[in-house]
Amino acid sequence: MSRVYNFSAGPAVLPEEVLKEAQADLLDYKGCGMSVMEMSHRSQMFDDIIKSAEKDIRTLLNIPDNYKVLFLQGGAYQQFAAIPMNMMNKHHKAGYVLTGQWATKAWKEAKIYGDAVALASSEDKTYSYIPDCSDLPITDDMDYVYICQNNTIYGTEYWELPNTKGVDLVADVSSCFLSKPMDVSKYAVMYGGVQKNVGPAGLVIDIIREDLITDDVYPGTPTMLKWKTQADKDSLFNTPNCWAIYMCGLVFKWLLRNGGLAEMEKRNAEKAAILYDFLDQSKLFKGTVEKKDRSVMNVPFVTGDKDLDARFVAEAKAAGLENIKGHRTVGGMRASIYNAMPKAGVEKLVEFMGDFEKKNLR
């Protein structure tokens, strides 16, 4: 049977050696007689796991000392509420750049807690581009400016951060998290649901500048959603997602062993170039995103014929190319080529696309 390549934009595609290591520890963690899933989060063994994970992600991203790393439950979606609850505490106003479904959902959630202003949007062209963010209508009374840095569904990515005019920048980096070096100091808050590129679903990693972690929060903020609650207990206020934290820790070590984020950036750019180069010369397939805003992680494309798209998805699946169907709002296909996707997987996809094109061009 030929190898299966998973192009899913949802559950993480993890490196094979990480999965093998995790499989062993699922039964018996370092010969201690219990699995990681059984041990207490208050135990010394788990304390070593979470501290090692934090140390490694700080190394990978060169996180400044005045930023706190939090391993939180609820995924990125829960931060849509946690961010305004913790940050709309001065002027009760924030700006949002709407570049897709997740930024829009975050904006709508923030409107519950204050004046959430849509600074710019690319909805007019089905979020197929990043709006010009060089001179956004940002005002001094905004507590923060919010972006979704890589848009999974629509395949766009910010290649230059917005000019926030001195206002704190908050970014959902879920789909580009740990895919390349990032200057953490340019953000007030950077957070990512780990299920795209780092680990199992259900965990979000927040990297927060410490001066933003205070008791001055939206009235009625639940104890669990206060960043200070979590920061004061080093992410151990209550039982965290122990297994996901452990898995992320393994991925961090894999990244460090494989050249760190600079090497990941190089590999990911090479993989994306293979696919985009094919799309640019194809007579059947075309990308749906403006070239200057193309994501390296998520590549949507179409044939222009819905029936042909459906046939491609079915035949791709039969050929071992899984989860290639695009989101319903875009249609067509989407290849998510995260860190663990090998170059061979992208080459296999392009080879299949070439064969499909030859058979179906009229």
Side-chain angles (χ1 to χ4, degrees):
M1 181 178 177
S2 62
R3 176 167 178 173
V4 173
Y5 293 102
N6 178 18
F7 291 92
S8 172
V13 180
L14 299 176
E16 287 185 2
E17 64 181 275
V18 168
L19 293 174
K20 289 178 181 178
E21 186 174 353
Q23 186 176 27
D25 286 341
L26 181 60
L27 300 173
D28 186 6
Y29 180 69
K30 295 186 176 180
C32 73
M34 69 175 73
S35 77
V36 174
M37 296 186 76
E38 294 176 287
M39 65 178 60
S40 168
H41 69 289
R42 306 291 184 196
S43 68
Q44 184 61 54
M45 284 182 290
F46 186 74
D47 190 61
D48 292 342
I49 288 172
I50 194 169
K51 284 181 178 176
S52 177
E54 179 175 346
K55 176 177 177 293
D56 288 342
I57 193 173
R58 283 187 175 277
T59 299
L60 283 164
L61 280 168
N62 193 27
I63 298 173
D65 291 341
N66 65 322
Y67 283 73
K68 190 75 175 178
V69 177
L70 299 179
F71 298 91
L72 304 177
Q73 300 176 22
Y77 212 124
Q78 189 160 277
Q79 295 306 301
F80 294 172
I83 286 162
M85 283 180 169
N86 284 272
M87 293 188 70
M88 273 188 179
N89 51 11
K90 293 181 182 177
H91 306 292
H92 310 291
K93 185 177 182 180
Y96 281 69
V97 182
L98 310 184
T99 51
Q101 185 174 109
W102 302 117
T104 301
K105 285 179 180 289
W107 169 62
K108 289 180 178 178
E109 188 75 14
K111 289 169 78 70
I112 298 171
Y113 307 103
D115 184 10
V117 179
L119 297 171
S121 174
S122 53
E123 184 181 13
D124 61 322
K125 294 184 179 178
T126 321
Y127 302 115
S128 60
Y129 69 100
I130 298 293
D132 180 4
C133 294
S134 61
D135 188 22
L136 296 168
I138 296 169
T139 55
D140 292 339
D141 59 347
M142 288 181 176
D143 291 316
Y144 62 89
V145 171
Y146 181 103
I147 65 170
C148 182
Q149 193 153 334
N150 184 99
N151 296 283
T152 321
I153 293 172
Y154 302 98
T156 59
E157 182 172 355
Y158 285 81
W159 290 102
E160 183 176 347
L161 293 177
N163 173 14
T164 64
K165 302 178 181 179
V167 176
D168 283 338
L169 176 65
V170 177
D172 175 354
V173 299
S174 296
S175 285
C176 56
F177 201 26
L178 302 185
S179 66
K180 60 183 179 181
M182 302 175 79
D183 184 352
V184 174
S185 68
K186 291 182 177 180
Y187 305 79
V189 178
M190 171 194 295
Y191 77 94
V194 304
Q195 72 275 11
K196 304 295 185 182
N197 210 26
V198 188
L203 179 71
V204 62
I205 298 175
D206 282 19
I207 302 170
I208 307 169
R209 205 176 63 227
E210 288 185 345
D211 64 281
L212 298 172
I213 301 174
T214 72
D215 283 316
D216 183 15
V217 297
Y218 184 83
T221 295
T223 302
M224 284 290 293
L225 293 188
K226 288 175 63 175
W227 289 337
K228 193 171 189 302
T229 300
Q230 302 292 348
D232 285 350
K233 297 296 184 180
D234 295 321
S235 305
L236 297 173
F237 173 73
N238 72 321
T239 307
N241 192 333
C242 296
W243 178 251
I245 293 169
Y246 161 73
M247 288 292 291
C248 289
L250 293 185
V251 172
F252 300 158
K253 292 187 184 301
W254 178 83
L255 289 167
L256 289 168
R257 288 196 303 269
N258 284 274
L261 302 187
E263 176 62 22
M264 290 304 112
E265 181 177 39
K266 178 182 175 183
R267 293 184 188 184
N268 290 327
E270 183 179 8
K271 289 184 297 183
I274 293 170
L275 183 47
Y276 283 127
D277 287 349
F278 175 83
L279 288 172
D280 287 342
Q281 59 80 39
S282 174
K283 293 181 174 61
L284 179 62
F285 299 98
K286 66 175 182 178
T288 61
V289 174
E290 292 189 11
K291 287 186 178 182
K292 65 180 179 61
D293 299 322
R294 284 172 166 175
S295 166
V296 169
M297 295 282 94
N298 311 102
V299 184
F301 56 96
V302 297
T303 65
D305 181 317
K306 290 183 179 180
D307 292 336
L308 199 56
D309 288 350
R311 189 190 313 165
F312 177 86
V313 171
E315 292 185 13
K317 180 179 177 64
L321 303 170
E322 290 280 354
N323 296 307
I324 206 76
K325 185 177 180 180
H327 191 270
R328 63 184 179 276
T329 58
V330 180
M333 289 69 66
R334 174 183 56 190
S336 291
I337 48 179
Y338 298 124
N339 286 345
M341 172 59 68
K343 179 181 175 182
V346 182
E347 291 173 335
K348 178 70 174 178
L349 173 61
V350 167
E351 178 186 355
F352 179 81
M353 291 171 71
D355 291 341
F356 187 88
E357 180 172 309
K358 290 176 184 176
K359 291 187 296 183
N360 289 278
L361 271 181
R362 296 182 178 87

